[in-house]
Amino acid sequence: MPISALLALAMTGFTAILTETLPAGLLPRISDGLGVSEALAGQTVTVYAAGSLIAAIPLTAWTQGWRRKPTLLAAIMGFLVFNTITAMSGNYWLTLVVRFLAGVAAGLAWGILAGYARRMVVGRLKGKALAIAMVGTPIALSLGVPAGAFLGATMGWRAAFFAMSGTTVLLIGWVLWAVPDFAGQAAHRRLSISTVFATPGIRPILATIFAWMTAHNILYTYVAPFSVLSGLQERVDLLLLTFGGAALAGIGVTGLLVDRMLRRLVLVSLIAFAGVALAFALFATAPAVVFAGILLWGLSFGGAATQLQTASADAAGDGVDLASAMITTVWNSAIAAGGIVGGLLLNQSGAGAFSWAVLLLALIALCIAFGARGHGFTPGPARTPDLLSTQDSVTLSTVLKPAVSGRARTATVDGTIPAMLAVRGTSLCGAAVPACQEL
């Protein structure tokens, strides 16, 4: 298992999430720095999401034929350039433009991360590899956002964005050193957007994502007003920390089980989430119930991205990158829908109405997932073949262990090792090259 390479992908996801959410904890300071209201400063988050929403599918389709490593580096370079300009900008409209472009970079990154992670390993390890690559999301939400807010409070909001640029420089070096390169898809294997969307299983997966993530974001976006019902409004930081810690545990459990029981994980996660919503609806004023519910909610949500990406990749086959881009689009749409619906509920009925809306949406998602038994959320182990794609190949410089001569890592080879030789339990090159590293 190429742990270092997968963690570099996780750091890319961490960077994308933190770049998106960092302004949320710095709105008063950003509004002062740019001379606008907090409401206008909040649009720096909105335009980032819009960039991801608009760009993910077309940009992923356009870059299907590009080699994967340069494509990933292009997205990461986007974070570096646009976060740096954001930190230096004194003009509100320039800031909005570069925030939109940062969202475009994120749309490209999310479109390729899942497929990239799965191409690094043989079939029986694909789910676990994806779980590692997705671990950056809960870490960013539980630790990165509070750390960014603290840095902004102590050194200024521009320092927080400069710090993001600094970590991105380190990430670029990490990717160059640790992440293997793969060819883009050959022209005859590229699928159209409509073909991938029509693939059996993709539409119920996307529908499940929209219902589930809209429900999640109603509650997550408005957790502060919801906490008032139980008198925990002064402990929102602890509630979010509890959620983040439980989410990390959830992704750990998912990583262990996703390759063997994907369908069960999705259904159990949705049942748990629906149970939390019901408990919140009936006992929203009880602090102990709220804390316990937050814990179970985080546990059920932590592995959601990995579960849904795995289901999508298994269903999409060669269209995995486009399917991931569709997930990015639907996910961001659900974030927006959650914010809008939650805001309407808060204004019309108060925070007590959140739980019933969340329960309804969670049950809808559960019904869709339950019905997608034949395609989408299939029972049993993942159906991904145990061989890497025939177009995948790994250069000797990334698979050879340091040889006795010490020159293995600098060896140059005109050809590549066909990935068809990667078989369960054997080395990538078999007996042909004894120094080959086990995948």
Side-chain angles (χ1 to χ4, degrees):
M1 180 78 76
I3 297 295
S4 182
L6 292 170
L7 287 177
L9 298 187
M11 184 62 184
T12 303
F14 175 92
T15 302
I17 291 292
L18 193 52
T19 298
E20 178 175 18
T21 57
L22 188 59
L26 302 170
L27 287 185
R29 293 168 180 81
I30 293 175
S31 67
D32 289 342
L34 296 178
V36 297
S37 67
E38 287 191 30
L40 287 177
Q43 300 314 303
T44 58
V45 178
T46 304
V47 296
Y48 182 101
S52 296
L53 186 73
I54 294 169
I57 294 176
L59 202 53
T60 302
W62 182 50
T63 58
Q64 282 185 96
W66 294 15
R67 295 197 67 85
R68 298 294 83 187
K69 191 168 181 175
T71 307
L72 177 64
L73 286 169
I76 297 171
M77 283 294 296
F79 293 132
L80 172 61
V81 172
F82 302 131
N83 280 333
T84 300
I85 297 175
T86 299
M88 299 173 65
S89 173
N91 182 280
Y92 175 69
W93 297 107
L94 173 61
T95 301
L96 285 186
V97 170
V98 295
R99 288 287 298 169
F100 176 86
L101 294 174
V104 170
L108 176 59
W110 287 121
I112 67 174
L113 280 181
Y116 209 153
R118 289 167 64 90
R119 288 175 73 173
M120 291 184 190
V121 296
V122 292
R124 61 194 171 93
L125 297 175
K126 290 184 183 294
K128 186 176 293 185
L130 186 54
I132 295 172
M134 291 293 139
V135 77
T137 297
I139 293 176
L141 292 173
S142 60
L143 301 178
V145 174
F150 174 78
L151 183 61
T154 55
M155 300 183 64
W157 69 271
R158 297 182 189 278
F161 279 97
F162 275 127
M164 284 293 301
S165 296
T167 60
T168 305
V169 170
L170 297 177
L171 175 59
I172 290 171
W174 190 354
V175 170
L176 288 171
W177 173 71
V179 176
D181 192 12
F182 295 103
Q185 282 191 318
H188 69 279
R189 298 190 62 177
R190 295 176 205 164
L191 302 178
S192 67
I193 296 170
S194 59
T195 299
V196 175
F197 184 72
T199 301
I202 293 297
R203 283 168 292 180
I205 292 170
L206 295 176
T208 300
I209 291 170
F210 186 77
W212 188 353
M213 294 307 133
T214 300
H216 165 79
N217 281 286
I218 289 173
L219 206 51
Y220 191 83
T221 303
Y222 296 97
V223 67
F226 176 76
S227 67
V228 174
L229 300 175
S230 57
L232 293 171
Q233 62 270 25
E234 301 299 326
R235 307 305 302 273
V236 172
D237 54 347
L238 184 57
L239 291 176
L240 292 176
L241 186 61
T242 300
F243 177 88
L248 287 176
I251 199 169
V253 172
T254 294
L256 292 174
L257 301 177
V258 68
D259 289 311
R260 290 181 284 126
M261 48 182 68
L262 171 62
R263 178 177 173 82
R264 291 184 189 178
L265 280 172
V266 172
L267 296 180
V268 168
S269 296
L270 283 167
I271 290 170
F273 186 38
V276 168
L278 181 60
F280 283 171
L282 298 176
F283 307 104
T285 58
V289 172
V290 172
F291 263 111
I294 291 284
L295 186 70
L296 183 56
W297 174 24
L299 190 63
S300 66
F301 176 79
T306 297
Q307 295 163 21
L308 296 166
Q309 288 274 17
T310 298
S312 170
D314 286 348
D318 285 340
V320 58
D321 287 344
L322 280 177
S324 294
M326 290 177 187
I327 287 178
T328 300
T329 299
V330 172
W331 201 294
N332 278 282
S333 299
I335 291 173
I340 293 170
V341 172
L344 292 173
L345 288 173
L346 184 61
N347 288 332
Q348 297 296 323
S349 305
F354 292 160
S355 301
W356 294 110
V358 169
L359 176 60
L360 175 62
L361 287 166
L363 290 175
I364 290 173
L366 177 61
C367 289
I368 296 171
F370 185 81
R373 182 182 180 88
H375 298 283
F377 301 105
T378 56
R383 299 181 180 181
T384 309
D386 204 27
L387 296 179
L388 297 174
S389 167
T390 55
Q391 69 177 333
D392 289 348
S393 59
V394 184
T395 61
L396 278 174
S397 62
T398 60
V399 298
L400 287 182
K401 293 179 178 177
V404 175
S405 66
R407 300 181 60 187
R409 285 198 174 272
T410 59
T412 57
V413 180
D414 291 334
T416 55
I417 306 169
M420 278 291 290
L421 296 176
V423 183
R424 183 194 301 268
T426 65
S427 68
L428 182 64
C429 312
V433 184
C436 276
Q437 183 177 13
E438 289 280 340
L439 283 177

